[in-house]
Amino acid sequence: METDKATNFIEEIIDADLKAGKYKSIITRFPPEPNGYLHMGHAASICLNFGVAQKYGGTTNLRFDDTNPVTEDTEYVDSIMADVKWLGFNWANVFYASDYFEQLYVFAVQLIQQGDAYVCDLTADEIAAQKGTPTEAGTHSPYRDRSVAENLALFEAMRDGKYKEGEKTLRAKIDMSSSNMLMRDPLLYRIKFAHHHRTGDKWCIYPMYDFAHGQSDSIEKITHSICTLEFIPHREVYDWLIEKLGIYPSKQYEFARVNVNYTVMSKRKLLQLVNENHVTGWDDPRMPTISGMRRRGITANAIRTFCEKAGIAKREKVNEFSLLEFCVREELNKIALRRMVVFQPLKVVITNLDKEIELNIENNPEDENGGTRQLMFTNEIYIEQEDFVEVAQKKIFKMEVGQAIRLKGAFIVQCNEVIRNADHSIAEIHCTYYANSQSGQDTSGVKVQGTLHWVSSKYAIPVEIREYDRLFKVENPADEEGDFKDYINENSLNIVNTALAEPSLKEATLTHHFQFLRKGYFYLDKESNPSTIIFNKTVGLKDNWSKK
RNA sequence: UGACCGAUGGUGUAACGGUAGCACAGAAGUUUUUGGUGCUUUUAGUUGAGGUUCGAAUCCUUGUCGGUCAACCA
């Protein structure tokens, strides 16, 4: 059954289970709560859950863990489904924990009948007080020994809306002196008169996570229920409930959440960034959300590669953002169409050119079948301001008076003269071109000191460029003193609106990824329109030079 | 100072009693009509102390450090 060697401890477990004949095939599930957008941490969980099922010939369910109606919404359901699909995974079924509310109620009644659950009248504060502490045993609720009949009647009355929120709960009768706080008679049901995004106002009692998750797993016959480390203490409750109920014994396994430095990876914190307008939305390109990364131009492939390289383990970890950048560049280098865009234009006049010359330039040197595009070389062009230097430096790759340089895909030009404005600032540069130096058919023999990107002033189109920096100034905002928002990098967005692009970029769509030569990888923003063409910088080119 | 989980280069991850390897990051070189890409080389690691063993990252004991748990959240 197994294809390759297990590459992590989860796969080792599955390997062993399959070999032992414990299961014929496996079923996993990805169980998001629809109360926020998916982020890189979820991507790791998605890749793991769908990945192992694929590898071992099993299936994966998408299950919305929608047991808390006050925070959940269909907006999130829609975005989650879109994100999972975009990442490239297909679920066998879409389920909702709310699909099982009736069954869960029956399970609860069974527990009551077995004497394993009771209705408790204690308030939240009272329950907290009698719960004890990690080093001190708790005390029994005075309602712990109600009769089965009384519990049954009370629980039914809870369902019927006879009590107010907080007035009564259903609790499992386990062990108030357990060293595991979660085993001290955990709540199973609470009363909430809230409108549920799917069941509407049908219910006023809702199961807690502990009484929904494992039961849902069991109903779906999930073989390997993979969750994050913080659920380790829940496993004891998970197993206890399944055993008492006598239902399909799904098993829970835990792995470490994936984090990335210089950002935060919690829905609660990301929600704050959105609500307090530190970013423009869940899909702001600076956000580590799947939708944010997608909008920025990061590909699903790159995210999957990143998750694979980040690996699966049982210890808390923080991955370096540079690993993600590497995965993005590796992918984009292969597929991005090369284009030229000048961010800060400097006019260059080719004084000996009296015609327009049509050029064909390759779309991607890494892709033989990438084809070419047409560009016009004209006697007035723009280069990058910083690509002209007045003071000669050692090892320069720039334009300089008296020196020759190549214009990418076009000709070698000799820089002759700087024309100045009244205030002595540079107005334009005058050059002459070598007619026999055309790219690909150069017979000039002229040595150049580098190659520059350029655009024709006649044909160039204005574009807006949005460049992004890390969202936080510190590696791990959650670990710092005080509020994580104190460490927000207020310069994380830089908008360039002086940029001029080669005309082919008018046709850019969201199916294209671009490399603007010598600038980085860029992707059309969803706010782009024919009158304002906007590109997001996905990631810069690797730069070994500016550091030296 | 309870229970549970964990500890391998800067970061992440392998090794399943038998040569500590890989990737990212860093450094050096090379190629290059992108200071990109490619290619070559290279720096750097087993949490401390004891034990078991011919042999320990791995097994045992113990210390240290980190994380989690006392939401009617998931």
Side-chain angles (χ1 to χ4, degrees):
Chain A
M1 176 73 62
E2 70 273 21
T3 48
D4 305 310
K5 200 168 155 281
T7 59
N8 59 57
F9 77 97
I10 297 282
E11 293 188 1
E12 281 172 13
I13 291 166
I14 294 171
D15 249 10
D17 286 348
L18 256 15
K19 276 199 187 93
K22 196 166 165 188
Y23 310 106
K24 283 202 268 306
S25 70
I26 64 164
I27 307 179
T28 60
R29 101 269 90 115
F30 173 61
E33 183 187 10
N35 67 347
Y37 281 62
L38 262 25
H39 53 60
M40 184 57 99
H42 297 107
S45 173
I46 291 167
C47 290
L48 212 214
N49 276 294
F50 284 89
V52 294
Q54 255 168 31
K55 179 167 179 176
Y56 293 95
T59 59
T60 306
N61 293 336
L62 174 62
R63 183 175 69 235
F64 291 98
D65 228 336
D66 55 350
T67 57
N68 185 4
V70 299
T71 58
E72 295 155 6
D73 195 273
T74 50
E75 173 199 352
Y76 300 121
V77 170
D78 295 341
S79 75
I80 288 167
M81 292 201 281
D83 286 347
V84 174
K85 279 187 200 156
W86 178 77
L87 268 179
F89 295 102
N90 300 303
W91 49 80
N93 305 284
V94 184
F95 291 129
Y96 295 79
S98 53
D99 292 342
Y100 311 132
F101 281 173
E102 195 64 51
Q103 174 66 254
L104 261 15
Y105 181 85
V106 172
F107 283 154
V109 168
Q110 179 188 342
L111 287 181
I112 293 171
Q113 284 168 334
Q114 292 170 187
D116 291 321
Y118 62 96
V119 172
C120 184
D121 298 2
L122 258 24
T123 65
D125 286 346
E126 287 165 339
I127 288 178
Q130 56 95 237
K131 195 143 199 176
T133 70
T135 54
E136 278 172 87
T139 52
H140 283 184
S141 163
Y143 307 99
R144 201 172 197 260
D145 295 316
R146 291 217 250 230
S147 69
V148 167
E150 188 184 2
N151 280 320
L152 248 18
L154 255 18
F155 187 50
E156 192 178 334
M158 280 169 65
R159 177 184 183 162
D160 292 342
K162 303 274 172 57
Y163 306 109
K164 291 195 277 291
E165 285 190 13
E167 206 176 328
K168 284 186 166 46
T169 57
L170 183 74
R171 300 177 70 181
K173 192 190 287 187
I174 310 183
D175 179 5
M176 290 306 291
S177 61
S178 171
S179 59
N180 182 352
M181 298 295 289
L182 292 164
M183 292 292 276
R184 322 245 264 224
D185 290 9
L187 263 59
L188 267 22
Y189 270 92
R190 78 286 214 192
I191 298 169
K192 271 183 197 289
F193 288 94
H195 188 82
H196 188 278
H197 74 113
R198 299 194 82 233
T199 59
D201 299 314
K202 182 177 178 191
W203 295 87
C204 63
I205 55 171
Y206 290 95
M208 297 289 290
Y209 167 85
D210 282 315
F211 198 63
H213 200 96
Q215 289 55 48
S216 302
D217 284 343
S218 183
I219 290 166
E220 296 174 22
K221 295 197 163 44
I222 300 300
T223 54
H224 301 264
S225 177
I226 304 166
C227 61
T228 48
L229 255 27
E230 66 268 30
F231 289 97
I232 289 175
H234 290 261
R235 189 174 61 225
E236 205 176 348
V237 182
Y238 185 103
D239 290 339
W240 188 91
L241 285 166
I242 281 181
E243 198 216 312
K244 290 292 177 188
L245 259 11
I247 55 181
Y248 183 85
S250 298
K251 291 291 177 190
Q252 173 183 308
Y253 302 94
E254 311 86 9
F255 76 104
R257 179 189 288 286
V258 166
N259 295 294
V260 178
N261 62 4
Y262 297 104
T263 189
V264 291
M265 210 66 83
S266 108
K267 278 193 281 191
R268 204 192 94 251
K269 292 194 174 82
L270 295 174
L271 181 62
Q272 276 184 66
L273 295 178
V274 172
N275 286 344
E276 297 169 22
N277 297 314
H278 294 106
V279 294
T280 57
W282 283 100
D283 68 347
D284 186 298
R286 292 167 290 186
M287 293 279 273
T289 50
I290 293 177
S291 51
M293 293 189 286
R294 176 170 60 227
R295 183 171 168 189
R296 184 164 171 160
I298 293 173
T299 62
N301 230 341
I303 293 174
R304 278 191 256 113
T305 307
F306 172 80
C307 291
E308 190 183 305
K309 286 183 189 292
I312 302 298
K314 289 189 77 164
R315 58 178 140 162
E316 297 285 346
K317 59 182 178 184
V318 181
N319 288 282
E320 289 182 343
F321 186 75
S322 59
L323 180 62
L324 210 211
E325 288 187 319
F326 169 82
C327 297
V328 173
R329 290 192 188 107
E330 187 185 42
E331 155 98 346
L332 259 23
N333 178 51
K334 288 184 290 194
I335 65 168
L337 300 172
R338 270 56 171 181
R339 294 292 183 264
M340 293 196 282
V341 178
V342 173
F343 285 27
Q344 305 291 339
L346 171 63
K347 188 192 284 186
V348 173
V349 177
I350 317 290
T351 55
N352 63 339
L353 180 62
D354 52 11
K355 57 184 175 183
E356 294 183 359
I357 299 174
E358 188 180 316
L359 306 166
N360 280 296
I361 306 184
E362 62 192 351
N363 281 323
N364 185 352
E366 303 298 314
D367 180 3
E368 287 176 4
N369 305 315
T372 60
R373 67 194 189 278
Q374 191 191 82
L375 265 189
M376 298 306 286
F377 187 58
T378 58
N379 63 6
E380 194 177 291
I381 63 167
Y382 290 108
I383 65 166
E384 211 69 67
Q385 276 172 24
E386 62 177 26
D387 282 338
F388 175 79
V389 289
E390 296 193 74
V391 186
Q393 297 155 21
K394 54 182 180 334
K395 277 195 114 179
I396 74 161
F397 294 79
K398 297 176 187 295
M399 182 181 281
E400 186 187 341
V401 175
Q403 300 290 334
I405 196 148
R406 174 169 291 283
L407 296 172
K408 175 70 185 181
F411 295 86
I412 295 173
V413 294
Q414 170 78 28
C415 176
N416 301 315
E417 193 182 2
V418 180
I419 309 298
R420 294 183 188 280
N421 296 311
D423 65 358
H424 201 68
S425 63
I426 298 174
E428 57 189 52
I429 309 294
H430 283 191
C431 294
T432 48
Y433 86 113
Y434 292 89
N436 59 351
S437 68
Q438 186 170 348
S439 193
Q441 50 203 72
D442 182 4
T443 57
S444 69
V446 176
K447 287 270 185 216
V448 296
Q449 32 193 22
T451 303
L452 304 182
H453 64 282
W454 58 278
V455 294
S456 160
S457 68
K458 180 174 173 186
Y459 295 103
I461 56 169
V463 295
E464 178 177 317
I465 303 290
R466 295 179 182 173
E467 299 180 300
Y468 304 101
D469 197 358
R470 47 180 62 134
L471 245 188
F472 289 89
K473 291 182 282 196
V474 294
E475 275 204 47
N476 196 346
D479 274 2
E480 299 287 336
E481 292 289 315
D483 189 359
F484 77 101
K485 292 191 280 347
D486 296 343
Y487 302 92
I488 289 176
N489 172 14
E490 52 287 322
N491 301 314
S492 57
L493 171 63
N494 179 43
I495 296 180
V496 179
N497 36 41
T498 51
L500 294 171
E502 59 172 87
S504 66
L505 251 9
K506 248 185 301 209
E507 269 86 59
T509 71
L510 291 174
T511 61
H512 302 121
H513 291 269
F514 298 101
Q515 183 196 104
F516 294 170
L517 250 49
R518 305 208 298 141
K519 287 295 185 183
Y521 294 99
F522 292 82
Y523 187 62
L524 194 71
D525 188 76
K526 67 168 193 182
E527 290 177 355
S528 187
N529 62 69
S531 56
T532 311
I533 299 176
I534 304 168
F535 287 100
N536 293 314
K537 183 174 183 175
T538 308
V539 63
L541 259 19
K542 193 172 177 191
D543 183 3
N544 294 311
W545 165 75
S546 63
K547 291 176 213 157
K548 289 177 187 171

